[in-house]
Amino acid sequence: MQNEIDHRKRSTVRPRTRILVDGGDPEETRAIKDLLGFVDGQTTNPSLIAKNPEILELVHAGHKLTEQQEADEYRKIVRAISPLVGEAGVSIEVFGDLKTTAERMYQQGRDMFSWIPNAYVKYPCTSEGLKAAERSVREGIRVNLTLCFSQEQAAAVYGATRGTTAPAYVSPFIGRLDDIGQNGVDLVSNIKRMYARGDGHVLVLAASIRSLAHLLCCFAIDADLVTVPAKILREWADAGLPLPDATFSYDPKGTRIDYREIDLEQPWQRFNIEHELTTKGVEKFAADYRATLYPKAS
Ligand code: E4P
């Protein structure tokens, strides 16, 4: 009887924003699915994969991996997660640094897309990442453009993914903008507002969620999707799975990010897609990835 009551309660609280688990451990995803009754999707990244319990154990025991072994481990992890999640799919991020070419990213992306039936390939919001995404969508590969910190980057994502068969995702990072004193949720709202004038082929996936307030605010501003660490989803469940009502208010964490009028129809190469946090983010993902590998013989 208790289970029936719990099930009824869970099924009534599903928000319109789709919820993804932000992690790299299938057991964690399974536990969150048991807790919430559903998980719409999953995002992973090189830092989260480096923290996967099996990879951590290997590395701590002194067994560093070759690039091929790391890719094999990553594939094993996403194959275990794939059947646990709904139609928002599993985002798999290409490995690369600031020198990685679009061609190299695309080759990885094409391989990763074949790992599971519900894959989204994550490319960074850099010029090379956008070129790789542009080529990918032409070939029917679903994409998620990550490390987005500006409205212009999101406009470039719109241009580069035009014509995609499945919706593309863009991932604005709320917490990392908060960290530099800017109100990260404003970027999510601004991108939603800009895309409202478009054709709907890009969905906004709010990322870098650090608190329950972030999560509730994403529901309130109607983010299409939100990717959330298990710890915050547990807090949400402990609080009784609340949804924001008319009285909900959010305490901004930094200075306001103003909306800009941007013509989405321009060629994406015309947008200024530089952002220091994108550069730092690529470097950090590359460093976390390399920390799991045998040093390359030079
Ligand atoms: C998910 O796609 C992102 O990689 C993740 O949300 C980043 O979160 P962080 O800024 O807390 O590392």
Side-chain angles (χ1 to χ4, degrees), residues 42-44 74 78 88-95 102 104-125 129 132-137 140-146 157 161 167-171 205:
Q42 172 96 22
T43 54
T44 62
Y74 199 176
V78 299
V90 182
S91 290
I92 312 171
E93 187 155 345
V94 297
F95 298 120
R104 176 76 195 110
M105 286 191 215
Y106 162 78
Q107 294 299 343
Q108 288 185 65
R110 196 173 62 162
D111 180 40
M112 288 166 159
F113 191 67
S114 73
W115 289 353
I116 50 174
N118 51 353
Y120 276 76
V121 177
K122 266 172 110 177
Y123 295 113
C125 273
E134 186 174 40
R135 182 166 172 195
S136 297
V137 299
I141 294 172
R142 289 179 291 269
V143 297
N144 174 353
L145 274 298
T146 190
V157 170
T161 59
Y169 298 160
V170 63
S171 296
L205 195 176

Side-chain angles (χ1 to χ4, degrees), residues 22 43-45 48 93 122 144 146 171 173 175-176 205 207-210 227 285:
D22 197 15
T43 54
T44 62
N45 68 40
L48 294 167
E93 187 155 345
K122 266 172 110 177
N144 174 353
T146 190
S171 296
F173 276 34
R176 293 192 198 186
L205 195 176
S208 190
I209 300 297
R210 306 273 175 78
T227 187
F285 285 151

Side-chain angles (χ1 to χ4, degrees), residues 247-283:
T247 64
F248 175 78
S249 70
Y250 177 75
D251 181 19
K253 294 293 170 286
T255 52
R256 186 173 135 169
I257 303 174
D258 289 326
Y259 178 73
R260 294 185 44 205
E261 285 301 340
I262 292 179
D263 175 11
L264 281 174
E265 298 310 320
Q266 296 175 67
W268 69 263
Q269 293 85 348
R270 288 214 194 132
F271 294 112
N272 174 10
I273 55 165
E274 296 301 314
H275 199 288
E276 56 159 337
L277 291 184
T278 305
T279 306
K280 280 190 187 156
V282 170
E283 284 169 341

Side-chain angles (χ1 to χ4, degrees), residues 2 9 12 28 46-47 69 82 98 104 109 128 147 160 162 187 205 208 228 232 257:
Q2 187 60 41
K9 183 180 167 216
T12 55
E28 184 183 74
S47 307
Q69 284 169 330
S82 167
L98 295 169
R104 176 76 195 110
E128 295 304 296
L147 291 165
R162 201 180 272 116
L187 177 63
L205 195 176
S208 190
V228 193
I232 310 289
I257 303 174

